[in-house]
Structures are given as C-alpha cells and as structure tokens.
Amino acid sequence: MSMADTIPHRKLTHECAMKMLNAGIRKANDMGVPQCIHIVDDGGHLLAFIRMDGGKFLSTDSSLKKALTAASNRVPTGDVPPDVDVKLAIATEGKLVNLFGGLPIIVDECLVGAIGVGSGTGEQDLEVARAALAVVEGAKQW
Amino acid sequence: MSMADTIPHRKLTHECAMKMLNAGIRKANDMGVPQCIHIVDDGGHLLAFIRMDGGKFLSTDSSLKKALTAASNRVPTGDVPPDVDVKLAIATEGKLVNLFGGLPIIVDECLVGAIGVGSGTGEQDLEVARAALAVVEGAKQW
Amino acid sequence: MSMADTIPHRKLTHECAMKMLNAGIRKANDMGVPQCIHIVDDGGHLLAFIRMDGGKFLSTDSSLKKALTAASNRVPTGDVPPDVDVKLAIATEGKLVNLFGGLPIIVDECLVGAIGVGSGTGEQDLEVARAALAVVEGAKQW
Amino acid sequence: MSMADTIPHRKLTHECAMKMLNAGIRKANDMGVPQCIHIVDDGGHLLAFIRMDGGKFLSTDSSLKKALTAASNRVPTGDVPPDVDVKLAIATEGKLVNLFGGLPIIVDECLVGAIGVGSGTGEQDLEVARAALAVVEGAKQW
C-alpha cells in the first residue's frame, strides 16, 4: 500500500445512521415536533432518511440541503455571512442553504457525513440534530 | 386492520375538486379577473387545474407553488418571515412561495390538500381561493 | 364530516417505515447482499430510506423508481409489457421502471405506500422487499 | 389590421375545457376506470386537468405527454413509426410519447388544443378522450 497515493479515511455505517434516525425521532417525539431527518455521507450522498408523521413535505427538500451544506462546509449550518448566502445558494443550484439544523459528523478529525433536520423552527431542528449526533461514538459535538 | 402500522386519514374526491374549480371560476368571473387555479392533494400532487381565458401563463407556476406551500405548511400562504422566505424558496427549489393566494384544505383536522390561485393581485387571488374553499363541506375557512 | 367531499383513507406511520427498514436490513445481512431500500407514501413521496454499507450508489436511483412504480401501478414491479415499458419510462421522465424489487403496501384494500429495493439481482431485491413487507400488520403479501 | 402580418386564429375557452373534463369523467365512471385527463392549448400549455379518485399518479406524466404530442403532431397519438419513436422521445426530452390516448382538438381546420388521457389501457384512454372531444362543437372527431 502506498502511503503517498491514498490516505486513511472512515465511513459511517448504516447501523450508525439508523441509530441516529432513532435518536432524532425520540427527541422530536419528546418535543412534540414531527421532523424530516436526512443523513448523508462525506460526499453528500444520501445514507438514511425518515419523514415523521405530520412532517412538512417541503422540509424534505430543506433538511437535505442542510445536510449537504454541513457536509461540504464541515461546520454547523446557519452562519454563512448574509452578503454571500443567496449568491452561494444560487451558485450551488440551491444545494447550499443558510438555515439552522445541519451538523457535520466528524470522528477523529475525519468528516464521515452530516445530518440535516427540518420541519420545526431552526432552533428545534438544531436540537434534534444534536440529539442524533450525540449517539455517534467519538463524534465532535456542537 | 392495524392501528399500529397505519393511521386513519381522508382524501379529497375529484368531484369536490371540480366543485372547487367551478366556485373559483364563478368568483373570478364576478370580479372580472381571470385566474389560474390549482388544487393539490396533501402530498402536493396535482388533483385539478384550470387556466381561465386571459389568465397569465406564468401564473400557472405561481399558483401551483402557492398550493404546494399551503399544503406543506398547513396555513394560508404569505406570512413566512421575510428573513427566511427567499432561503426557503431556494432550498425547496422554488416550491415554497411567500405570496398570498394559497389555502390549506383541512376537514375534521385532517389536511386533505390545498388550493393555490394566481393571476390577479394577492388580495384578488386570496378572495378566489376563499370562494373555492367555501364549497368544501366541513372545511376550515380562513 | 362530509362523505361527499372526502373519503376515508389510511397513512403508513414512520414507526412502521422504520420497522420495514430494519426487517429489510436483517434480510439483506442474512443474504450477504447490501441493499438500498426506499419506502414511499401512496403519492410516491419519500418516507424512509437506508443505503447499506457497500450498497451501489446508483441503486439509490433505481430502488426509488421501483417504489414509485409500485405505488402508482399498485402491483409488484417488473411485469409491464415489453412493448410499452421504455415508452412509459420516458413519458414519466424515468420514474416508471420495469425491474423486479418494488412492492405496493396495501392494507385493508387501501394503498398506503410502496417499497423499492435495489443493489442486488432482481430476485435478491424482491426477496428483501418481501421480508420488509412481511412485518406490516395486515398488509397484502406478494 | 394587416392581413399580411397576422392571421385569424381561435382559442379554446376554459368553459369548454371544463365541459370536456366533465364529459371525460362521466365516460370514465361509466367504464369503471379512473383516469388522469389533461387539456392543453395549441402551444401545449396546460389549460385544465383532473386526476380522478384512484387514478395512477405516474399517469399524470404520461397523459400530459399524450396531450403535448397530439397538439404538436395534430393527429391522434400512437402511430409514430417504431423506428423513430424512442429517438423522438429522447430528442424532445420525453415530451413526445407514442402511446394511445391523445387527440388534437381541431375546429374549422384550426388547431385549438389537445386532450391526453392516461391510467387505463391505451384503448380505454382513447375511448375517454373521444368522449371528451365529442362535446366540443364543430370539432373534428377521430
């Protein structure tokens, strides 16, 4: 194996993704706010998804964009400077969104994916995302 | 029948959708303002549509978006906070629109669809949407 | 409640959708074939999804199309006559697919959604879909 | 008015489009086959639509394409030579479809629109399209 040509990486398992969905659902149930929850890999490809009973169907779009944005930027969503956020949204054909509720999943300084939550207020979405991220062993918490 | 795996719901009939189109057309004729009228189901799928003689063809797009937005948010359209409306519009690929003229169709606390009207002013659009909603037995009026 | 304007229907719960994902994952693990599993509602909107470790990422597209096709046609996928299947695929912008692995979810003669599975052979995909459908109480089995 | 620069044309009214929807619904009810019915103008823009209770949602796509194809080709759909139909479908980004169920609406040798019907067999779709076209005064019948 060449150390020069490839570098170590990690991947989120589907078991972990299911565990995250379950944790997010529990938190959303506790809050009484149905949610859409997307989990993507480090390239933004969909790993897992759940739309809870009564979740807004248009939030399926926005929670995905939050996950994509968190995976790409590697920081929680919602803090893109307002002078560029709409420009970046348009330039990425709507994939970058500047709303709360997206968190990167970083384990041992390695980005393995992201979670995006939508259908509540930005604060509620973020709270559910945090609860889901909390069950990932060794993941950086925000 | 399993209560655990499925829950009761209701569907809007096509007869009711036709009745709504007719009521909307009558109102628009009374006002002298031709309209585009979309009726969607609870998932935002098109159930019925009419573009009246002289209706603006681009309003075919906006009246659909009003119906989608009302069905997803479950409240009349036009009151999304201005600090997030464009972000949400982009994140939903243009499906969420923050204009007057969309109303959810809620019967017995069950969302069964939504109506979106466009081609007049926002106030005219809303007036036609209300007239169409008024003919749905038991529907919540706004 | 108006019987004239709305008719009774049922919805699949997210708990049931999660149960189906878990059953599908178990079956796929037993078979040693990682899968992509989509569960949609009766209008074809995504309810739940999992891509298993090692699942083909392009199968994310095909398993979704299988679910859409099963939900729309209300029969298992793969038996569209060969003289029209490509025409229908094009006419539906790729949404109708004539491959094995999609099953409608019908409870008490009410279509509540569909499951689509992809990443194995058609026979393997169908076997996983059947295992997931088997856990839905009262659902028609195929 | 310049005879050289513009030529007389006719437009289908929305009242006629509603009359056609009603006639199509009646016929489909008689046959016991729920349908999706699109009526477009001479440029292929949507004038009117109904999806009947139990109509396949993917047929919303195919019935629209039948209406577009009939409006563009000005003959009933389904008779494009098999050696070019898929090529034309791809070249038109899926808008041209070679399936039965689309009829042009021609009054006094003037194309004013088209109807497309889908959700049954090709023969059933065509029968409903014919019943809807039959109520248009002076329209060429097929």
Side-chain angles (χ1 to χ4, degrees):
Chain A
M1 187 182 74
S2 163
M3 292 304 292
D5 288 347
T6 64
I7 52 176
H9 194 62
R10 302 193 69 77
K11 274 185 175 288
L12 198 69
T13 64
H14 67 257
E15 283 191 15
C16 183
M18 290 294 285
K19 189 170 63 168
M20 293 181 72
L21 288 188
N22 282 317
I25 291 169
R26 273 196 307 273
K27 184 66 174 183
N29 275 333
D30 289 347
M31 299 168 66
V33 180
Q35 293 280 18
C36 297
I37 306 174
H38 275 94
I39 298 169
V40 300
D41 66 19
D42 66 319
H45 290 293
L46 190 56
L47 274 179
F49 172 74
I50 192 73
R51 174 160 54 95
M52 293 175 65
D53 307 334
K56 297 173 189 167
F57 65 84
L58 289 186
S59 298
T60 303
D61 289 310
S62 51
S63 62
L64 173 60
K65 309 303 167 55
K66 293 175 186 179
L68 295 179
T69 302
S72 183
N73 285 353
R74 298 170 189 217
V75 290
T77 56
D79 285 324
V80 175
D83 59 328
V84 292
D85 67 352
V86 169
K87 294 176 191 174
L88 284 167
I90 294 172
T92 59
E93 295 169 11
K95 288 192 279 289
L96 185 143
V97 68
N98 196 17
L99 294 167
F100 293 111
L103 294 174
I105 309 169
I106 297 175
V107 177
D108 287 336
E109 301 189 11
C110 177
L111 179 88
V112 294
I115 182 170
V117 178
S119 198
T121 64
E123 290 70 22
Q124 291 169 331
D125 299 345
L126 180 55
E127 194 171 343
V128 169
R130 282 178 173 148
L133 187 59
V135 300
V136 185
E137 279 185 59
K140 178 169 183 178
Q141 305 298 320
W142 308 86
Chain B
M1 185 180 72
S2 164
M3 290 307 290
D5 289 344
T6 63
I7 51 178
H9 194 62
R10 300 193 71 76
K11 271 187 176 294
L12 199 69
T13 63
H14 68 258
E15 283 192 14
C16 183
M18 289 294 285
K19 187 169 66 168
M20 292 181 74
L21 288 188
N22 282 317
I25 291 169
R26 274 196 307 273
K27 185 66 175 183
N29 274 332
D30 288 347
M31 298 167 68
V33 180
Q35 293 280 19
C36 296
I37 306 174
H38 276 93
I39 297 169
V40 300
D41 65 21
D42 67 319
H45 288 296
L46 190 57
L47 276 179
F49 172 74
I50 193 73
R51 174 161 55 96
M52 294 175 65
D53 307 335
K56 299 172 189 166
F57 66 85
L58 289 187
S59 297
T60 302
D61 289 312
S62 53
S63 63
L64 174 59
K65 308 304 168 55
K66 292 175 185 179
L68 293 179
T69 303
S72 183
N73 284 352
R74 300 167 191 216
V75 290
T77 56
D79 286 323
V80 175
D83 59 327
V84 292
D85 70 349
V86 169
K87 292 178 191 176
L88 285 168
I90 295 172
T92 58
E93 295 165 16
K95 289 194 278 289
L96 186 144
V97 69
N98 197 16
L99 293 168
F100 293 111
L103 294 174
I105 308 171
I106 297 175
V107 177
D108 287 334
E109 302 191 8
C110 178
L111 179 90
V112 293
I115 181 169
V117 178
S119 198
T121 64
E123 289 71 22
Q124 290 168 332
D125 298 345
L126 181 55
E127 194 171 342
V128 169
R130 282 177 173 149
L133 187 60
V135 301
V136 184
E137 279 184 59
K140 179 170 182 177
Q141 305 298 320
W142 307 87
Chain C
M1 186 181 72
S2 164
M3 291 304 293
D5 289 345
T6 63
I7 51 178
H9 194 62
R10 300 193 71 76
K11 272 187 176 292
L12 198 70
T13 63
H14 68 257
E15 284 191 14
C16 183
M18 289 294 286
K19 188 170 63 167
M20 292 181 73
L21 288 188
N22 282 318
I25 290 170
R26 274 195 306 272
K27 185 66 176 182
N29 275 333
D30 288 348
M31 298 168 67
V33 180
Q35 293 281 18
C36 297
I37 306 174
H38 276 94
I39 298 169
V40 301
D41 66 19
D42 66 320
H45 288 295
L46 190 57
L47 276 179
F49 172 74
I50 192 74
R51 174 160 55 95
M52 293 176 64
D53 307 335
K56 300 172 187 164
F57 66 86
L58 289 187
S59 298
T60 302
D61 290 312
S62 53
S63 63
L64 174 59
K65 309 302 168 55
K66 293 175 186 179
L68 294 179
T69 302
S72 183
N73 284 353
R74 299 166 191 217
V75 291
T77 56
D79 285 325
V80 175
D83 59 327
V84 293
D85 69 350
V86 170
K87 293 178 190 176
L88 285 169
I90 296 172
T92 58
E93 295 164 16
K95 289 192 278 287
L96 186 143
V97 70
N98 197 17
L99 294 167
F100 293 111
L103 294 175
I105 309 170
I106 297 176
V107 177
D108 287 334
E109 302 190 7
C110 178
L111 178 90
V112 294
I115 181 169
V117 178
S119 198
T121 65
E123 290 69 23
Q124 291 169 330
D125 298 345
L126 180 55
E127 194 171 342
V128 169
R130 281 177 174 149
L133 187 60
V135 301
V136 185
E137 280 183 60
K140 179 171 182 176
Q141 305 298 321
W142 306 87
Chain D
M1 188 182 73
S2 162
M3 292 303 292
D5 287 347
T6 64
I7 52 176
H9 194 60
R10 302 193 69 78
K11 273 185 176 291
L12 197 69
T13 64
H14 68 256
E15 283 192 14
C16 182
M18 289 294 285
K19 189 170 63 168
M20 293 180 72
L21 288 187
N22 281 317
I25 291 170
R26 273 195 306 274
K27 184 66 175 182
N29 275 333
D30 288 348
M31 299 168 67
V33 180
Q35 294 280 17
C36 297
I37 306 174
H38 276 93
I39 297 170
V40 300
D41 66 19
D42 66 320
H45 290 294
L46 189 57
L47 274 179
F49 172 75
I50 192 74
R51 175 161 53 97
M52 293 175 65
D53 307 335
K56 297 172 189 166
F57 65 84
L58 289 186
S59 298
T60 302
D61 289 311
S62 52
S63 63
L64 174 60
K65 309 302 167 55
K66 293 175 186 180
L68 295 180
T69 302
S72 182
N73 285 353
R74 299 170 188 218
V75 291
T77 57
D79 285 323
V80 175
D83 59 327
V84 293
D85 69 350
V86 169
K87 294 176 191 175
L88 284 167
I90 294 171
T92 59
E93 294 169 12
K95 289 191 278 288
L96 186 143
V97 68
N98 196 18
L99 294 167
F100 293 111
L103 293 174
I105 309 170
I106 297 175
V107 177
D108 286 338
E109 301 189 10
C110 177
L111 179 89
V112 294
I115 181 170
V117 178
S119 198
T121 65
E123 290 70 24
Q124 291 169 331
D125 298 346
L126 180 55
E127 193 171 342
V128 169
R130 282 178 172 148
L133 187 60
V135 301
V136 184
E137 279 185 59
K140 179 170 183 177
Q141 305 298 320
W142 307 87

